[in-house]
Amino acid sequence: MTVKYHYYRFKDLNIIHFQSKNKQLSKFAYKFKIGSSVELPDEWGLAHMLEHNIFKGNKIHGNSIDLNRKFKEIGYARNASTGTDNTCYYATGLSSFFSEGLNLLTDLVFHPSFPEDEFIKEKNPILNELEMYASDPIGNFFEMGRELILGEREHNIVGTKKTIRNMNYDTMIRFYKRYYTLENVTLIIEDHRSRKEIEKLLNKMELIQSIQKSEEVFNGLQLPNLANRSFNERNKTFFATTDSMAIVYSHQSLEIKNKIDILIAPLAEQILSDILYEEIRDRMGLATYSIQASFSREGYPSISNVYALVSLDNLKKVKNEMAKILYNHARLNSLITDQLYLSNKLLRNVDLISIYNEDVWYAKVYQRHNVHFDSYEEILSLYDSITKEDILTFLKTLLSRKKSILILKGNERRFKRDELNQ
């Protein structure tokens, strides 16, 4: 529970520090005073596009997959959001790894490499994101209302199909150089340490020097003056249409009867979601906005879903790749590496510490599964005993059950059900 906060200037950086009573977890965020409101009409969606590309490559930590795993290896979850007047990058994790977590977030935000091929690939997921929002009648209603009342300042943060397709890589870099500066950002910290202790850590990390070094590099970067030519024209890149379709593999859930399976299920779900995201979106660069595994823990006859939202052009490729991962157990086994398993296990362990109040844990488990843990320590002890082989066994058993393939496009539906032959 937050009890007090400090707002102060640390060298050239504004800091808001909430002093918390929770000694196990830390949270921090870089909040920039920049959003969609500064975009010109032909730039709509630029701030959001930049936010996505921040995660696509890093000068210090490599590609998006490597960077993501480094966060997980120290038990930190990270994300970002773009608004009308601000863009925020944030992370939550173990207080014992405060310096490591904040260093990673700083590197993420201030040392991006902006691979140009990733910029090309990322247009399709954003177009699908736009299509997904447009298909929501309630959200669309409020979006139109905001624009009518407030004018262009409140245009869709994601942009339009035209502005996304024509968006220039060079324009995005210039946007970053102009707005992602020390003068335009506030570091928000929630941690149990005092202001003096926090400042001591920041000095030891050489935080300000790291940010200033990044600014010097980007300020010295020379780009050709190509702002008047569309990226599409210069690179003759084909962008898929945005007819979003969902591929859903549904399976009968396992009947969970023991304590260990209750803990294995969410960890297996997280690992499978990571594998699908990395192998299909990040490695193949397919037009996929969302790939996720969602397992029911209610027991038989519930279903578990593995799904992807894709463009029509890549429907077959994504479907085939998903099938290879889900139903070729040798391939699935090879993808559950020690690094992926251990980093997700640590991140999930942080969830157990931060999310679940003990009484809530007991109530949920007892009500849903008629299984009672004697103590919270027992939960953590059993969780520590989960092995990589347990995860693979769980997934193989689940995926060997009946599957359904559900494909959606607008109001049209095609449904096919078959037996899985291993």
Side-chain angles (χ1 to χ4, degrees):
M1 180 178 177
T2 301
V3 291
K4 59 181 179 179
Y5 73 92
H6 309 283
Y7 179 70
Y8 55 91
R9 185 90 168 167
F10 173 72
K11 299 182 179 178
D12 293 323
L13 179 64
N14 290 321
I15 292 181
I16 299 176
H17 169 210
F18 294 88
Q19 192 164 356
S20 169
K21 289 184 177 181
N22 189 331
K23 294 186 177 182
Q24 293 178 303
L25 299 174
S26 295
K27 303 176 183 177
F28 26 76
Y30 282 109
K31 189 171 185 178
F32 292 87
K33 294 183 291 184
I34 184 63
S36 61
S37 62
V38 302
E39 296 166 351
L40 300 174
D42 61 350
E43 295 177 342
W44 286 358
L46 183 59
H48 178 255
M49 172 66 84
L50 174 58
E51 176 221 304
H52 275 233
N53 277 270
I54 288 283
F55 290 89
K56 288 301 176 181
N58 194 266
K59 295 175 182 176
I60 300 172
H61 301 287
N63 64 30
S64 58
I65 295 173
D66 294 334
L67 182 60
N68 185 41
R69 289 189 179 179
K70 287 186 178 181
F71 274 100
K72 290 184 176 181
E73 283 170 6
I74 59 171
Y76 269 80
R78 87 290 178 276
N79 213 328
S81 62
T82 302
T84 304
D85 296 307
N86 61 78
T87 305
C88 189
Y89 301 84
Y90 49 92
T92 303
L94 295 170
S95 181
S96 56
F97 288 102
F98 175 95
S99 296
E100 293 87 344
L102 182 53
N103 266 328
L104 275 176
L105 188 67
T106 304
D107 291 342
L108 168 75
V109 174
F110 291 101
H111 296 276
S113 57
F114 293 126
E116 200 164 352
D117 58 336
E118 292 293 337
F119 172 80
I120 297 171
K121 291 194 310 189
E122 196 59 23
K123 287 196 175 187
N124 274 323
I126 291 179
L127 286 168
N128 272 346
E129 184 177 350
L130 183 63
E131 187 75 15
M132 183 178 67
Y133 293 150
S135 64
D136 174 13
I138 301 299
N140 201 32
F141 171 80
F142 284 110
E143 192 72 39
M144 290 176 63
R146 285 196 313 169
E147 291 182 21
L148 286 170
I149 294 170
L150 299 174
E152 288 186 352
R153 183 179 181 277
E154 286 293 326
H155 63 265
N156 192 321
I157 291 169
V158 180
T160 68
K161 293 179 182 179
K162 181 179 179 181
T163 59
I164 293 168
R165 287 195 182 104
N166 292 332
M167 198 168 286
N168 289 327
Y169 174 80
D170 308 336
T171 306
M172 182 186 74
I173 301 297
R174 289 191 175 94
F175 191 91
Y176 177 86
K177 287 172 60 177
R178 181 177 180 183
Y179 294 111
Y180 278 57
T181 64
L182 272 172
E183 292 73 25
N184 206 38
V185 68
T186 298
L187 172 59
I188 304 170
I189 297 172
E190 183 176 330
D191 186 83
H192 69 277
R193 297 173 178 87
S194 67
R195 171 178 173 176
K196 186 176 180 180
E197 290 172 314
I198 291 292
E199 290 190 348
K200 185 177 179 180
L201 284 174
L202 298 182
N203 273 320
K204 189 175 181 180
M205 292 164 54
E206 298 185 342
L207 186 75
I208 303 301
Q209 293 91 320
S210 174
I211 297 173
Q212 289 173 335
K213 183 178 179 181
S214 170
E215 288 186 349
E216 291 171 4
V217 170
F218 276 98
N219 285 336
L221 184 65
Q222 297 298 318
L223 292 169
N225 186 19
L226 299 174
N228 295 324
R229 297 178 60 191
S230 75
F231 194 80
N232 200 7
E233 290 172 351
R234 287 190 286 123
N235 293 272
K236 295 182 172 59
T237 304
F238 171 73
F239 296 110
T241 59
T242 58
D243 294 325
S244 298
M245 303 188 70
I247 304 168
V248 184
Y249 287 89
S250 297
H251 308 81
Q252 287 184 346
S253 287
L254 301 176
E255 187 174 359
I256 296 176
K257 295 181 178 179
N258 57 61
K259 298 178 181 180
I260 194 72
D261 280 349
I262 292 171
L263 301 175
I264 288 175
L267 180 58
E269 172 185 312
Q270 185 171 296
I271 288 174
L272 185 57
S273 294
D274 262 18
I275 288 172
L276 290 166
Y277 193 90
E278 289 181 4
E279 293 299 311
I280 297 176
R281 173 166 170 166
D282 270 5
R283 293 196 192 281
M284 299 180 67
L286 295 178
T288 307
Y289 173 66
S290 177
I291 300 182
Q292 189 170 336
S294 177
F295 298 168
S296 169
R297 299 168 193 85
E298 302 290 344
Y300 184 85
S302 301
I303 59 173
S304 298
N305 301 311
V306 182
Y307 63 89
L309 178 67
V310 302
S311 70
L312 181 59
D313 302 71
N314 286 318
L315 177 67
K316 186 175 180 180
K317 288 170 69 177
V318 174
K319 178 177 171 292
N320 290 342
E321 190 64 22
M322 285 180 71
K324 288 179 187 176
I325 294 170
L326 296 176
Y327 305 121
N328 182 333
H329 291 160
R331 174 162 169 72
L332 183 61
N333 187 29
S334 70
L335 293 173
I336 305 177
T337 62
D338 290 336
Q339 183 186 25
L340 182 67
Y341 161 72
L342 291 172
S343 64
N344 275 282
K345 192 173 181 182
L346 178 57
L347 189 62
R348 180 70 191 165
N349 198 7
V350 174
D351 289 340
L352 295 181
I353 294 171
S354 62
I355 296 176
Y356 297 109
N357 173 279
E358 294 184 28
D359 294 334
V360 173
W361 239 121
Y362 297 150
K364 284 184 177 179
V365 170
Y366 186 83
Q367 180 182 0
R368 294 185 178 185
H369 305 285
N370 200 27
V371 173
H372 180 69
F373 288 98
D374 295 328
S375 67
Y376 195 66
E377 286 68 30
E378 182 191 10
I379 293 173
L380 297 179
S381 176
L382 280 173
Y383 184 78
D384 286 341
S385 72
I386 297 173
T387 66
K388 190 170 67 171
E389 288 67 34
D390 292 331
I391 300 295
L392 183 63
T393 300
F394 182 93
L395 290 175
K396 285 169 64 175
T397 306
L398 174 69
L399 298 172
S400 65
R401 296 180 169 221
K402 291 181 179 180
K403 70 173 180 180
S404 300
I405 304 172
L406 181 64
I407 301 175
L408 306 176
K409 179 188 177 185
N411 294 322
E412 301 173 17
R413 297 193 178 192
R414 297 205 309 275
F415 181 79
K416 184 174 75 173
R417 185 179 182 88
D418 57 24
E419 297 289 337
L420 175 64
N421 298 315
Q422 293 292 343

